[in-house]
Amino acid sequence: MGKPHRVWAVSSIHGDINRLINIHDAIFNRIKPGDRVVYLGNYTGHGDYSRETVEEILLFRRLLMAQPGMKASDLVYLKGKQEANWQKLIQLQFELFPTDSLLALLGSGMGKTLESYGICPHDGIVGARSGAYSLSKWVTSIRHALVQNQGHDAFMIHQVRAAYTNFEEN
């Protein structure tokens, strides 16, 4: 992260688009070049507007990048539990017990995320119970839905696990 002037941390959003818009509105005019905006993960899940939440994050990024002096490295997107669950979901066909794994993921908020992308979670349960081919088709539909939303696939790929700085003792 270098040595930013200020760090703006955005906590878990969990698909609550209105909360995120309020945060963005509150900080947009206060962010200056040399500041860092760090999103702490869990952008999706539980709330009804996971897809729209990712759209808002990407829009805010474009707005900040249009400001003189702002750099891509001024924005950091950490991977939270929901994003780790997303990765498990798109590799579900490789699980030993895919139905059990899917039910656990759906119970942890992935159901709402899938619905916001137009994916029916029940179809996944049916696919998991029907075998690898049916499950693979359902997982492919998830990947397709992600790609259909411009920038969402890149956003999911470029999240990082942790942020750290070089600590200098005085």
Side-chain angles (χ1 to χ4, degrees):
M1 280 184 38
K3 295 183 179 184
H5 297 157
R6 292 181 294 187
V7 175
W8 299 88
V10 180
S11 66
S12 298
I13 301 156
H14 289 293
D16 187 345
I17 185 70
N18 293 322
R19 194 173 113 221
L20 180 60
I21 289 171
N22 289 337
I23 291 168
H24 284 166
D25 287 348
I27 67 174
F28 180 73
N29 290 322
R30 298 171 64 194
I31 296 172
K32 304 291 181 221
D35 289 356
R36 300 290 179 277
V37 179
V38 180
Y39 291 85
L40 302 177
N42 294 318
Y43 315 106
T44 64
H46 302 292
D48 292 326
Y49 301 101
S50 291
R51 185 188 61 76
E52 294 85 352
T53 297
V54 174
E55 280 294 317
E56 171 65 17
I57 290 169
L58 295 173
L59 172 64
F60 192 70
R61 182 183 197 285
R62 288 190 299 271
L63 290 171
L64 283 180
M65 294 305 301
Q67 301 300 312
M70 294 298 291
K71 299 180 281 188
S73 59
D74 293 334
L75 296 133
V76 177
Y77 305 97
L78 299 181
K79 184 182 291 189
K81 180 70 172 170
Q82 291 298 316
E83 292 73 40
N85 284 346
W86 185 266
Q87 294 302 313
K88 288 179 185 177
L89 188 67
I90 62 172
Q91 297 178 8
L92 191 62
Q93 68 271 30
F94 303 115
E95 289 285 330
L96 187 56
F97 301 105
T99 304
D100 293 342
S101 296
L102 177 57
L103 290 172
L105 291 168
L106 295 175
S108 71
M110 290 306 299
K112 291 281 193 177
T113 300
L114 289 168
E115 289 169 358
S116 76
Y117 280 93
I119 303 294
C120 178
H122 181 70
D123 291 347
I125 296 168
V126 171
R129 290 179 177 160
S130 298
Y133 179 74
S134 296
L135 181 58
S136 292
K137 282 180 65 174
W138 183 74
V139 169
T140 299
S141 73
I142 295 170
R143 291 174 189 243
H144 181 71
L146 194 63
V147 170
Q148 291 299 108
N149 290 273
Q150 188 174 12
H152 288 226
D153 54 340
F155 176 73
M156 293 297 200
I157 291 169
H158 290 101
Q159 297 163 358
V160 294
R161 289 195 176 267
Y164 60 91
T165 60
N166 292 332
F167 180 72
E168 296 179 20
E169 291 187 42
N170 294 342

